[in-house]
Amino acid sequence: MCPPSLPQELVPLHEATAVAHHLIFERSPARRAERDLDAIRSELTLALAAVGRILAREANGLRLLTMAEVEALTRPPARRDRPALYMTRGDLIDAIELLRQSRKAGSRM
């Protein structure tokens, strides 16, 4: 049994997208140009935001971002003043499961 605080643990978004890619597509992204990896990360960020909550760490704490804010922050070029983005471990697990189910359902059509 995991500690009760584990689902609330914050996972940096760049790590969340790497984990999501690996678990949804059952492989790690191949070595690609950095520009291609940025596009994959952006797409996965938007997919995760569609089914989960993306949080921004700001001076006064964490703030839940709207989909429009996530889109603006992930659109290239990357902003240098972009806040640190996170998902909770619990939200990430739930989001990955929803995206995996959606992908499997789509492949059966």
Side-chain angles (χ1 to χ4, degrees):
M1 180 133 198
C2 68
S5 62
L6 196 56
Q8 296 306 313
E9 181 180 61
L10 295 177
V11 178
L13 194 58
H14 69 277
E15 290 179 24
T17 57
V19 169
H21 187 280
H22 180 74
L23 293 175
I24 293 166
F25 299 103
E26 299 175 354
R27 60 185 163 79
S28 297
R31 291 186 186 258
R32 300 176 186 217
E34 190 62 32
R35 183 181 58 216
D36 294 339
L37 289 175
D38 286 344
I40 290 169
R41 286 184 197 110
S42 292
E43 290 173 17
L44 274 170
T45 296
L46 294 174
L48 290 170
V51 296
R53 297 178 298 173
I54 306 295
L55 306 168
R57 184 179 303 276
E58 297 177 341
N60 58 346
L62 294 172
R63 182 174 64 85
L64 179 63
L65 297 177
T66 66
M67 188 64 167
E69 289 173 312
V70 173
E71 288 173 351
L73 289 170
T74 58
R75 193 175 306 126
R79 290 178 31 195
R80 293 196 184 278
D81 63 338
R82 183 175 112 171
L85 303 178
Y86 299 90
M87 288 187 83
T88 64
R89 184 176 299 274
D91 281 349
L92 176 59
I93 291 167
D94 293 344
I96 288 171
E97 188 55 34
L98 284 169
L99 293 171
R100 286 176 78 179
Q101 289 173 6
S102 176
R103 183 170 187 265
K104 286 179 184 176
S107 67
R108 286 186 244 147
M109 296 179 152

